[in-house]
Amino acid sequence: MPSPRPAKLYEQVKAYLREGIASGIWKVGEKIPSEFELMERLGASRMTVHRALRELSAEGVLLRLQGAGSFVQAPAPRSPLLEIHDIAEDIARRGHAHRAQVLALEARPAPADIAAEFALRPRARLFYSEILHFEDEIPVQLEQRYVSPGFAPDYLAQDFTRQTPNRYLQTIAPPSEVEHVIHATLADASLQALLRLGPQDACLCLLRRTWTPAGPATRSLLTHPGSRYSLGSRYKLADFHARPG
Amino acid sequence: MPSPRPAKLYEQVKAYLREGIASGIWKVGEKIPSEFELMERLGASRMTVHRALRELSAEGVLLRLQGAGSFVQAPAPRSPLLEIHDIAEDIARRGHAHRAQVLALEARPAPADIAAEFALRPRARLFYSEILHFEDEIPVQLEQRYVSPGFAPDYLAQDFTRQTPNRYLQTIAPPSEVEHVIHATLADASLQALLRLGPQDACLCLLRRTWTPAGPATRSLLTHPGSRYSLGSRYKLADFHARPG
DNA sequence: ACGTGCATATTGTATATACAACTTTTCCCT
DNA sequence: AGGGAAAAGTTGTATATACAATATGCACGT
């Protein structure tokens, strides 16, 4: 049994501050102890405390003002990266447990409008999967997905409780084009039951369609409980560093 | 005439390396000079060089392997989920008529949570505008926006029936960073009246925050009738993800 | 020929010190 | 009381040093 190697000191300082903020000792907008105070309290050097505070500042947890002090920042909303990661990774990144329940996995005749999207004749068969995703046993997404059989011939043989369709399809071939459309609706009866919503709860619906050079690949409708989930992204626009000498 | 103040040394080291990578002196996957080598070449201490390299590593520019060296990373592909689009342009693109009704335009004390987002003291004043946007005389967006006075000092003097705040702010300075968060709610009484919604209608809310290098610039909450409006984007994924062997 | 082990190179962490830059508070003079 | 200067407090940057952790290559012995 290995003795627990002491974690990096600056990580300990960061953890100490994170916990204090999470537990409400220091609230948003309030000032946390100074570097000197933390230095004496935690028994680390000022440079170590300084590094911890600088990293927390870079992460958006703290706002540091030279000459004034360090203040707790409003938590940045968690931003699941819409275009790349799948929900299992998002949940894992938040440190929660993900579970997938496969409600349907079959080839079914496509509705006329969807068949048209895939450039197929009406009633042509498409692969269809319906999966309910849980975050710590709370339902957070209903995933209804049509997949072109020509794109993923082995789709129906997968175990999607172990690997999300998103991730499996990435291994087949990454899409060359992606479309996102987001809208909001009120939950109908079946959605209320699946997502454990009340009759007055709104849903956030994300329609994601992907294409490969060969044609339409997938069409997935991701429905989230509007009150418990949000979608977001944050990115830098200008990475140019044109500095005149 | 003030002599140009020398930039921070670790920033100079970072710039030196960025330029070398950009100009092709060091290519993706190649090893850059060691901390010791850079230390002698640039005349900075090892700790200063070390800080520059550590930050470049955190930014994804370099990959550092203890005992081996520092290697140039492949640039991360950036594909914005939602480009900054202007609702007046969207409506015009659909061939419809846009009209804006200014419901409020004033300096007001910011609520505590919003003041914290802007790194201001509670009760500090922010510019605030509330504008209702119509598409062919049907309300499609309620825009509630806080603007940092330091970022746009003349904000309150604008006529936002002629030019949307979004467009005006773009002329001031484009943001360096953008965050989008989307969620869905049920319309409350005031929203029902403004957007002409029924008590059972869902709303699609887009919170958009922007930053400049100087700090937080704007915070706008855009509320759409979920039944009449959707957000979307479609883009090509030009870059494929190449991993170093 | 082959692997073992050691020396070396490189990055990671921690500390002490010094001074600079900036903010807030205190206090003194008018 | 008011204004302003001084002092104190806090964060930012830069350096020197020491040791730890990890990877690589070389020399040596079998």
Side-chain angles (χ1 to χ4, degrees), chain A residues 234-243, chain B residues 14-15 18-19 21-22 56 58-61 74-80 174-178 211 213:
Chain A
R234 178 170 175 171
Y235 46 88
K236 289 186 168 57
L237 295 174
D239 266 346
F240 305 102
H241 305 273
R243 286 172 55 89
Chain B
K14 288 173 72 175
R18 275 190 215 277
E19 287 163 15
I21 292 170
L56 287 177
E59 294 169 23
V61 176
R78 53 169 182 271
S79 43
S176 60
E177 200 166 346
V178 178
W211 287 261

Side-chain angles (χ1 to χ4, degrees), chain B residues 15 36 57 86 117-118 123 129 132 134 167 169 193 208 223 238:
Chain B
F36 201 80
S57 172
D86 186 65
E117 290 181 13
F118 279 82
R123 300 187 311 278
S129 63
L132 189 58
F134 295 83
R167 198 160 179 74
L169 292 169
R208 177 157 57 188
T223 306

Side-chain angles (χ1 to χ4, degrees), chain A residues 8-10 44-48 51 66-68:
Chain A
K8 301 163 188 171
L9 194 42
Y10 72 90
S45 74
R46 195 200 141 209
M47 287 309 295
T48 299
R51 174 173 176 181
Q66 187 174 55

Side-chain angles (χ1 to χ4, degrees), chain A residues 144-187:
Chain A
Q144 298 167 295
R145 184 183 294 264
Y146 287 93
V147 175
S148 166
F151 173 63
D154 300 327
Y155 187 73
L156 298 183
Q158 304 305 310
D159 178 5
F160 290 130
T161 63
R162 299 189 50 191
Q163 186 185 37
T164 63
N166 212 334
R167 198 158 181 77
Y168 169 68
L169 292 169
Q170 285 283 335
T171 66
I172 300 286
S176 60
E177 201 165 344
V178 179
E179 180 192 69
H180 288 127
V181 177
I182 301 160
H183 70 284
T185 61
L186 202 69

Side-chain angles (χ1 to χ4, degrees), chain A residues 38-100:
Chain A
L38 290 170
M39 175 180 152
E40 294 185 346
R41 191 184 298 187
L42 301 177
S45 74
R46 195 200 141 209
M47 287 309 295
T48 299
V49 171
H50 179 78
R51 174 173 176 181
L53 293 178
R54 173 151 45 82
E55 292 193 0
L56 287 176
S57 173
E59 293 169 25
V61 176
L62 295 178
L63 171 70
R64 310 198 71 201
L65 297 176
Q66 187 174 55
S70 302
F71 304 84
V72 179
Q73 277 275 61
R78 298 173 297 205
S79 319
L81 294 176
L82 221 48
E83 66 274 22
I84 299 174
H85 298 104
D86 65 357
I87 190 166
E89 288 179 15
D90 291 338
I91 291 173
R93 193 176 303 118
R94 290 194 283 271
H96 293 172
H98 168 259
R99 184 171 68 86

